[in-house]
Amino acid sequence: MTTSSSVSLLGRRAMLALGLTVLLSACGFHLRGSNGSFMLPFATMYIGLPETSPLAIGLKRYIRAIGSTEVVNTKDGADAVLEVLSDPERNRTKTILSLNKNGRVQEYQLGYSINFRVVDKAGNQLLAPTTINLVRPITFDESQVLAKETEEAALYRDMRNDLVQQIMRRLAAIKPVLPAMSVAPVAPVAPAAPQQ
């Protein structure tokens, strides 16, 4: 095989790959959630967290940005209700991960968790109770207490954003229960008498 024919073969493969990429993008193909957004299968939704909860604010902002689902202020009439079984702001933890040779804290582990479920307006459970636990390690230095407090707040904020993304993925994967089709009862039809 000559050098020019191997270059020509590589050029053909590159053109083929480029052509396939253009075709896939032209037909509207996208990996699910690849652009960071998720379509929710509900027209209206209620978030069962306090209005001032940072997680509630993040979830509502994200859902409103999608535009396909309206966040409502009451459970009544909402197609889906996100019921929070354990408030993540009360479940934030900070545990000692390691000590230095003097017995002083060297590293902490920050934890952030939520337990929730989703029900529809009829009370049917669309998503069973689900727990999401997030942890992040953080080093500690007594000479930089203020900087470490700022870093800790930033890590909790990062975990909250991660929690919003994980909740949204689970909400987008829900398949709503469709009501059973109702069919009007049909009156029995008497067989026709044979004609004489």
Side-chain angles (χ1 to χ4, degrees):
M1 184 182 279
T2 64
T3 308
S4 64
S5 64
S6 65
V7 169
S8 174
L9 183 61
L10 287 174
R12 287 183 192 155
R13 288 183 179 167
M15 289 302 291
L16 180 62
L18 180 64
L20 286 173
T21 304
V22 168
L23 281 174
L24 283 175
S25 64
C27 75
F29 173 80
H30 294 288
L31 292 174
R32 183 176 181 188
S34 63
N35 62 352
S37 67
F38 307 95
M39 295 302 292
L40 300 182
F42 325 110
T44 58
M45 183 165 201
Y46 173 77
I47 308 293
L49 282 166
E51 289 289 320
T52 57
S53 163
L55 182 62
I57 293 168
L59 275 170
K60 290 175 183 179
R61 182 179 299 137
Y62 202 102
I63 292 170
R64 286 179 179 132
I66 293 171
S68 62
T69 302
E70 179 187 355
V71 178
V72 295
N73 295 326
T74 62
K75 290 181 181 183
D76 304 331
D79 293 327
V81 175
L82 187 140
E83 293 180 346
V84 177
L85 306 173
S86 67
D87 187 356
E89 296 306 319
R90 292 188 178 147
N91 291 336
R92 288 175 19 160
T93 60
K94 182 178 178 180
T95 56
I96 296 172
L97 200 55
S98 65
L99 302 172
N100 63 17
K101 62 183 179 183
N102 299 327
R104 294 189 175 158
V105 176
Q106 184 175 344
E107 195 174 18
Y108 285 105
Q109 180 171 318
L110 305 178
Y112 201 69
S113 66
I114 187 171
N115 186 8
F116 68 97
R117 72 181 189 146
V118 180
V119 296
D120 65 8
K121 62 176 106 183
N124 299 318
Q125 189 167 270
L126 300 175
L127 180 65
T130 303
T131 302
I132 302 173
N133 293 310
L134 302 174
V135 293
R136 301 282 192 279
I138 183 173
T139 58
F140 182 73
D141 186 355
E142 291 177 346
S143 64
Q144 300 176 346
V145 173
L146 189 58
K148 289 300 175 180
E149 286 177 359
T150 304
E151 183 182 357
E152 182 179 321
L155 282 172
Y156 277 123
R157 193 168 44 252
D158 177 55
M159 284 191 282
R160 189 180 315 117
N161 291 338
D162 192 8
L163 207 57
V164 167
Q165 291 290 322
Q166 291 196 36
I167 291 170
M168 291 301 296
R169 270 190 225 106
R170 284 164 175 81
L171 292 176
I174 292 174
K175 304 291 184 234
V177 179
L178 297 175
M181 293 182 65
S182 59
V183 179
V186 178
V189 178
Q195 293 187 358
Q196 296 178 359

